[in-house]
């Protein structure tokens, strides 16, 4: 060889005998471990950035899969809140015929109070009803034009605690059969239906979230699998020069984490967009319900935890696939 | 240093690459393994790097029984062996420097010391000026020298090379073999598989001759004519 090192052989850092044979410096296992993590994280990020279109497509697919359950959760939360705003208690309203006066109303109220399945009865006079209406926006002007009070006596009946839905239904039927009764409105029935429906919705969101999390796992896994397959030569070389499986795997795990993190951030962004686009229509709806309604936004902790959870999913997908792929390579 | 004791290797499908091979290589010795193609030269080297496992027999390296090294112990063993391949096995998307740096990175050496060692190794093979280049821009002989720099950068106790001059013209081949001899001079045990008999004779080192997986001759360095 024509080129000789400038240092004498025995002083050259290459050939001098030191205890660190094999290139291993045992004094700094943590530092080198940390260094390789840093290297793996940045190298895998550079690799993703070197093919932006493919990376973006993968991230977008994952983000949509994550945004779907998030959006459904948002909608569900709002429907639930709407239901709560519209009927706080399961009261049954009994409208008496306009001909019925105060004494008749008190008589009916007493009959109802005597029943074991009734907890309380409130009698609302026509004047009270009028006052309530007057408080509502837009009505006061119209009410002034009325000569008489057209409102009937109304009895708000609160069923006793522990009375079943069937029991309430029997009570309503009995109430309808009483004399001087014009109409009985059971707000409980539709609330029960809404609640049952929301229960179905919640379960559906949960199932959807699990399925779509699985989809995210599969998308990440397959992307990493293709990546590993296309780099089998590199992996072979690394193993020949003494890389442990953990060392070889590390950049791929970081790639999974990056995919998850980016798609999680994008999904949270999607969800916020949906929120913003819903805010206006819900506000208008809220107006119609006397300002009781406001959009129920996703809590910040949930939005923040989406990228974290997605990163964990990405890592898991990469971990599962790489364990299997590398065993094949070895 | 290296001890083969009644080692046989039968591949799946029944082909017996090595049969009842016994020989020893002393620490700091340099030896050639030769024979026609299919004689078992590559298999012998693969057994040392645990790329393959023997079917029978015992191989010890520095007193360590290789058969007792489990899957998880293989990386550690390979870090103590420098391997050079005929097709050099470089990572074509990384610079010359990064390729040579790999074993040190895997070994966990600190970056400043790593650079020093990589530069020293590249200087040794005469390629310091090419450290920023990609291997594809180098000639076949230069690529092989990068492979050698990678093999020796971590100061392995054993350097093994499988047909390292197979793709090179005679002048380059002599240069490469000269490099191996230099590493032996500073205490590394060197084992080179080659079928290039004229070149081997020129080197005047011990020659182990295989034929159909059997040891047919073991010529000491002084006896090589």
């Amino acid at each position: 060889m024509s080129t000789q090192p400038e240092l004498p052989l025995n002083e050259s850092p290459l050939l001098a005998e030191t205890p660190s044979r094999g290139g291993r410096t045992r004094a700094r296992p943590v530092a080198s471990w940390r260094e390789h993590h840093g290297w793996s994280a940045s190298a895998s990020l550079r690799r993703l950035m070197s093919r932006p279109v493919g990376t973006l497509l993968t991230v977008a697919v994952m983000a949509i899969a994550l945004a779907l359950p998030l959006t459904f959760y948002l909608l569900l939360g709002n429907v639930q809140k709407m239901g709560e705003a519209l009927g706080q208690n399961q009261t049954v309203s009994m409208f008496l015929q306009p001909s019925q006066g105060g004494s008749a109303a008190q008589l009916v109220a007493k009959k109802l109070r005597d029943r074991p399945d009734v907890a309380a009865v409130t009698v609302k006079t026509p004047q009270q009803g009028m006052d309530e209406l007057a408080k509502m926006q837009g009505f006061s002007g119209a009410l002034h034009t009325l000569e008489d009070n057209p409102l009937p006596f109304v009895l708000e009946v609160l069923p006793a605690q522990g009375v079943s839905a069937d029991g309430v239904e029997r009570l309503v039927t009995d109430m309808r059969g009483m004399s001087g009764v014009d109409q009985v409105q059971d707000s409980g029935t539709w609330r029960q239906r809404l609640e049952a429906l929301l229960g179905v919705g919640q379960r559906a969101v949960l199932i959807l979230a699990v399925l779509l999390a699985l989809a995210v796992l599969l998308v990440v896994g397959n992307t990493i699998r293709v990546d590993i397959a296309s780099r089998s030569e590199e992996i072979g070389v690394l193993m020949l020069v003494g890389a442990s499986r953990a060392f070889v795997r590390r950049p791929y795990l970081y790639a999974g984490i990056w995919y998850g993190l980016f798609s999680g951030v994008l999904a949270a962004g999607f969800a916020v967009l949906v929120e913003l686009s819903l805010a206006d229509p819900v506000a208008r709806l809220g107006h119609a319900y006397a300002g009781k309604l406001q959009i129920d936004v996703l809590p910040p902790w949930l939005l923040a935890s989406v990228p974290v959870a997605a990163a964990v999913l990405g890592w898991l997908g990469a971990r599962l696939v790489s364990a299997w792929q590398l065993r094949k390579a070895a | 240093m290296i001890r083969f004791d009644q080692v046989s290797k039968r591949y799946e499908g029944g082909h017996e690459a090595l049969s009842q091979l016994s020989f020893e290589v002393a620490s700091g010795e340099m030896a050639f393994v030769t024979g026609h193609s299919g004689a078992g030269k590559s298999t012998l080297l693969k057994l040392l790097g645990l790329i393959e496992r023997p079917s029978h027999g015992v191989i010890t390296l520095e007193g360590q029984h290789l058969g007792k090294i489990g899957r998880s112990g293989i990386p550690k063993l390979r870090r103590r062996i420098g391997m050079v391949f005929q097709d050099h096995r470089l990572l074509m998307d990384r610079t010359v420097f990064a390729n040579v740096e790999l074993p040190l990175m895997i070994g966990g050496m600190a970056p400043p010391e790593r650079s020093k060692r990589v530069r020293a190794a590249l200087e040794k093979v005469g390629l310091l000026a090419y450290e920023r280049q990609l291997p594809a821009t180098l000639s076949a002989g230069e690529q092989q020298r990068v492979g050698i720099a990678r093999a020796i950068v971590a100061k392995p106790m054993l350097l093994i090379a499988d047909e390292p001059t197979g793709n090179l013209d005679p002048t380059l081949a002599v240069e490469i073999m000269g490099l191996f001899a230099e590493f032996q001079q500073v205490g590394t045990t060197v084992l080179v598989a080659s079928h290039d008999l004229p070149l081997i004779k020129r080197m005047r080192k011990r020659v182990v001759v295989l034929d159909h997986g059997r040891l047919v001759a073991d010529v000491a360095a002084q006896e090589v004519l």
Side-chain angles (χ1 to χ4, degrees):
Chain A
M1 204 59 239
S2 52
T3 322
Q4 286 291 330
E6 284 162 16
L7 294 163
L9 276 184
N10 58 346
E11 279 176 36
S12 135
L14 171 65
L15 299 162
E17 276 310 310
T18 64
S20 63
R21 258 194 183 273
R24 195 132 252 243
T25 327
R26 273 165 232 285
R28 50 185 300 282
V30 176
S32 79
W33 178 82
R34 247 201 340 246
E35 186 202 329
H36 189 248
H37 271 274
W39 180 86
S40 302
S42 61
S44 60
L45 191 60
R46 277 196 303 274
R47 261 185 221 172
L48 295 193
M49 295 305 179
S50 70
R51 38 185 162 79
V53 177
T55 302
L56 200 67
L57 284 176
T58 304
V59 166
V61 168
M62 289 167 64
I64 290 169
L66 289 168
L68 273 174
L70 216 53
T71 308
F72 281 123
Y73 179 79
L74 176 73
L75 294 178
L76 201 67
N78 275 294
V79 172
Q80 194 163 22
K81 204 180 159 199
M82 231 178 275
E84 276 164 19
L86 295 184
Q88 214 54 257
N89 298 310
Q90 194 188 355
T91 55
V92 183
S93 302
M94 180 191 241
F95 298 86
L96 298 185
Q97 283 162 2
S99 56
Q100 303 291 319
S103 52
Q106 291 302 341
L107 198 69
V108 176
K110 189 184 177 307
K111 269 191 200 160
L112 286 170
R113 282 193 191 105
D114 289 344
R115 289 176 64 109
D117 54 358
V118 170
V121 179
T122 318
V123 179
K124 267 189 203 164
T125 63
Q127 189 52 47
Q128 279 170 332
M130 188 61 89
D131 291 347
E132 270 181 25
L133 266 182
K135 273 186 220 149
M136 286 193 188
Q137 290 170 328
F139 277 103
S140 50
L143 293 176
H144 281 305
T145 62
L146 293 173
E147 285 176 20
D148 292 327
N149 186 345
L151 299 174
F153 274 87
V154 180
L155 274 64
E156 300 277 351
V157 179
L158 183 68
Q161 288 242 311
V163 174
S164 67
D166 287 347
V168 174
E169 217 160 298
R170 270 197 301 278
L171 172 65
V172 169
T173 315
D174 288 352
M175 281 162 74
R176 287 206 172 105
M178 293 168 94
S179 64
V181 172
D182 184 20
Q183 255 189 56
V184 175
Q185 262 181 15
D186 177 16
S187 67
T189 315
W190 74 262
R191 249 191 78 68
Q192 271 169 5
R193 285 185 193 141
L194 182 68
E195 250 160 39
L197 214 60
L198 286 172
V200 172
Q202 264 160 358
R203 185 60 59 84
V205 167
L206 197 68
I207 293 168
L208 201 70
V210 169
L211 284 178
L212 288 168
L214 203 65
V216 167
L217 209 66
L218 292 177
V219 171
V220 169
N222 189 48
T223 307
I224 301 288
R225 184 189 64 78
V226 171
D227 199 16
I228 290 178
S230 72
R231 292 181 166 267
S232 59
E233 208 170 315
E234 173 183 327
I235 290 166
V237 170
L238 285 173
M239 287 186 152
L240 280 178
V241 298
S244 66
R245 215 166 284 192
F247 184 96
V248 173
R249 191 165 51 208
R250 210 162 283 150
Y252 300 100
L253 298 188
Y254 272 102
I257 290 176
W258 289 127
Y259 277 125
L261 202 62
F262 293 149
S263 62
V265 169
L266 198 59
F270 279 155
V272 170
L273 273 182
V274 171
E275 256 175 33
L276 290 178
S277 67
L278 276 182
D280 208 38
V282 172
R284 250 178 284 148
L285 190 66
H287 252 318
Y289 283 101
K292 277 179 179 172
L293 274 179
Q294 237 186 350
I295 183 148
D296 191 12
V297 295
L298 291 169
W301 67 262
L302 183 65
L303 285 177
S305 63
V306 170
V308 176
V312 171
L313 276 177
W315 173 84
L316 188 66
R319 181 77 180 73
L320 293 173
V321 165
S322 61
W324 171 66
Q325 281 284 101
L326 292 182
R327 193 169 307 133
K328 242 176 34 176
Chain B
M1 162 67 86
I2 304 171
R3 189 185 150 91
F4 275 62
D5 191 8
Q6 296 289 308
V7 173
S8 299
K9 172 65 183 178
R10 187 183 289 274
Y11 284 106
E12 272 175 57
H15 169 62
E16 191 161 53
L18 292 176
S19 62
Q20 302 188 324
L21 183 68
S22 296
F23 73 102
E24 279 182 49
V25 177
S27 187
E29 192 178 3
M30 176 163 175
F32 286 98
V33 180
T34 191
H36 62 84
S37 70
K41 307 186 293 281
S42 292
T43 302
L44 191 155
L45 297 187
K46 281 179 181 162
L47 293 178
L48 281 171
L50 283 181
I51 298 168
E52 296 287 349
R53 300 266 188 181
S55 316
H56 294 288
V58 174
I59 304 168
T60 51
L61 192 62
E62 275 193 319
Q64 190 179 17
H65 185 344
L66 293 192
K68 293 207 170 125
I69 296 178
R71 213 177 55 182
S72 59
I74 294 176
K76 215 169 148 193
L77 173 84
R78 288 189 185 157
R79 282 179 216 146
R80 292 157 62 207
I81 303 176
M83 288 194 246
V84 177
F85 309 90
Q86 180 172 3
D87 56 353
H88 50 71
R89 302 276 190 105
L90 299 177
L91 299 180
M92 302 312 261
D93 61 345
R94 299 197 197 178
T95 61
V96 165
F97 186 96
N99 267 283
V100 177
E101 191 186 22
L102 265 182
L104 301 183
M105 217 167 128
I106 289 166
M109 187 181 282
E113 202 189 339
R114 226 153 62 192
S115 302
K116 242 174 26 196
R117 283 256 209 127
V118 171
R119 298 227 160 82
L122 282 173
E123 189 160 30
K124 182 79 189 121
V125 299
L127 289 177
L128 191 52
Y130 299 103
E131 62 171 6
R132 298 261 158 259
Q133 297 200 27
L134 291 176
T137 63
L138 306 182
S139 70
E142 286 163 345
Q143 289 182 5
Q144 190 56 284
R145 268 145 63 192
V146 176
I148 293 171
R150 185 183 65 190
I152 51 104
V153 73
K155 295 188 208 170
M157 56 170 181
L158 172 67
L159 184 60
I160 57 181
D162 191 4
E163 298 284 2
T165 61
N167 293 331
L168 306 179
D169 63 53
T171 329
L172 281 174
V174 171
E175 267 183 35
I176 297 288
M177 287 302 185
L179 264 179
F180 286 121
E182 279 182 40
F183 291 118
Q184 186 217 354
Q185 278 167 24
V186 294
T188 312
T189 311
V190 183
L191 197 60
V192 179
S194 173
H195 65 269
D196 189 346
L197 270 175
L199 181 60
I200 291 172
K201 281 183 178 164
R202 249 177 99 161
M203 298 304 298
R204 299 192 172 271
K205 302 285 180 191
R206 179 181 167 194
V207 182
V208 174
V209 186
L210 299 181
D211 184 37
H212 289 96
R214 290 174 190 280
L215 191 138
V216 291
D218 191 344
V219 188
Q222 313 81 281
E223 295 164 20
V224 176
L225 298 174

